[in-house]
């Protein structure tokens, strides 16, 4: 079945967008392959325009880059100024809603984390993360620390440390996450009241 010219024009722009996103993220083809499960040769062909993009390939790429699928295919604006929040399913269970549209160095997310069981499955990756608990109780396992955070509590950490989180009481926990892929820390300009940092509870 022949692709309409208007659709082909959209597809032709996917390859340069993928090249630009990978350059901005600083990921190698090998790292992107590991994050998405897509072979390096397929990724290379997608970025060169030799492989036709499909939903099965673009969905994991959107997840790896933490951008809406629209950012990959360049869906045209329809005159609605509202930011449309598109939930995605997390690999370990739960839901994430990207709150930022651009693939810049800092990204904001709202996450709903379910009970993932009692046995931690820590992961590591490049970056720096700041977590704020909106509702519920979050169990955060970070290297040798095993913490429980309640509403209004904050944790920040280098994501190269093994980390894992789950609901602490079986009820889904709602959190706000700010993530810097290149290790950017969050900067607060106003001086807040002193708040007990959960990471300082340990010795």
């Amino acid at each position: 079945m022949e692709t309409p010219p208007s659709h082909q024009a959209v597809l032709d722009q996917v390859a340069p967008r993928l090249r630009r996103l990978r350059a901005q993220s600083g990921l190698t083809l090998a790292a992107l392959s590991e994050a998405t499960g897509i072979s390096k040769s397929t990724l290379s062909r997608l970025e060169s325009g030799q492989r036709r993009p499909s939903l099965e390939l673009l969905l994991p790429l959107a997840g790896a880059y933490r951008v809406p699928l629209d950012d990959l295919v360049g869906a045209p604006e329809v005159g609605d100024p509202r930011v449309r929040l598109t939930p995605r399913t997390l690999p370990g269970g739960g839901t994430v809603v990207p709150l930022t549209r651009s693939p810049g160095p800092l990204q904001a997310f709202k996450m709903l984390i379910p009970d993932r069981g009692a046995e931690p499955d820590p992961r590591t990756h490049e970056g720096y993360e700041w977590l704020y608990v909106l509702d519920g109780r979050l169990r955060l396992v970070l290297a040798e620390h095993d913490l429980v955070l309640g509403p209004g509590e904050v944790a920040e950490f280098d994501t190269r440390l093994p980390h894992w989180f789950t609901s602490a009481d079986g009820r889904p926990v709602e959190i706000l996450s700010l993530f810097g892929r290149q290790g950017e820390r969050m900067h607060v300009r106003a001086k807040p009241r002193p708040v007990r940092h959960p990471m300082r509870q340990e010795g």
Side-chain angles (χ1 to χ4, degrees):
M1 187 174 180
E2 191 170 337
T3 303
S6 60
H7 291 184
Q8 188 60 52
V10 171
L11 293 175
D12 288 343
Q13 294 304 309
V14 172
R17 284 192 178 91
L18 291 176
R19 292 196 300 270
R20 184 170 62 252
L21 280 170
R22 190 163 65 83
Q24 290 172 340
S25 68
L27 289 173
T28 63
L29 280 176
L32 187 59
S33 175
E34 184 177 352
T36 61
I38 302 171
S39 70
K40 289 192 295 184
S41 61
T42 297
L43 292 171
S44 178
R45 290 168 61 203
L46 277 172
E47 290 187 3
S48 65
Q50 297 176 3
R51 174 67 183 262
R52 182 186 177 92
S54 66
L55 192 60
E56 290 77 14
L57 294 173
L58 293 180
L59 280 174
L61 284 168
Y65 289 129
R66 301 194 178 194
V67 298
L69 186 61
D70 285 358
D71 283 10
L72 299 186
V73 298
E77 297 291 340
V78 293
D80 189 341
R82 293 172 295 178
V83 176
R84 297 188 178 276
L85 307 179
T86 305
R88 297 200 306 263
T89 301
L90 291 167
T95 303
V96 59
V97 181
L99 301 178
T100 44
R101 293 176 62 87
S102 70
L106 295 178
Q107 298 289 307
F109 304 90
K110 186 176 182 181
M111 291 191 271
L112 192 66
I113 307 297
D115 185 346
R116 292 171 166 173
E119 187 62 32
D121 182 20
R123 305 294 174 89
T124 62
H125 52 86
E126 291 293 328
Y128 197 85
E129 188 158 10
W130 179 94
L131 296 177
Y132 178 86
V133 180
L134 296 168
D135 184 55
R137 291 169 58 79
L138 178 75
R139 179 188 176 198
L140 170 64
V141 176
L142 177 65
E144 71 277 12
H145 302 282
D146 194 335
L147 311 167
V148 174
L149 285 71
E153 289 194 289
V154 174
E156 56 179 322
F157 53 91
D158 188 326
T159 54
R160 290 174 297 183
L161 292 172
H163 59 281
W164 178 81
F165 39 81
T166 183
S167 166
D169 56 12
R171 185 171 62 94
V173 57
E174 190 175 4
I175 64 176
L176 179 66
S177 167
L178 298 180
F179 176 76
R181 185 177 294 279
Q182 302 301 327
E184 297 88 351
R185 291 173 177 262
M186 314 310 150
H187 298 286
V188 180
R189 299 184 69 89
K191 188 175 181 180
R193 293 184 304 169
V195 176
R196 179 175 56 85
H197 196 294
M199 290 302 299
R200 294 173 184 163
Q201 293 179 0
E202 300 288 334

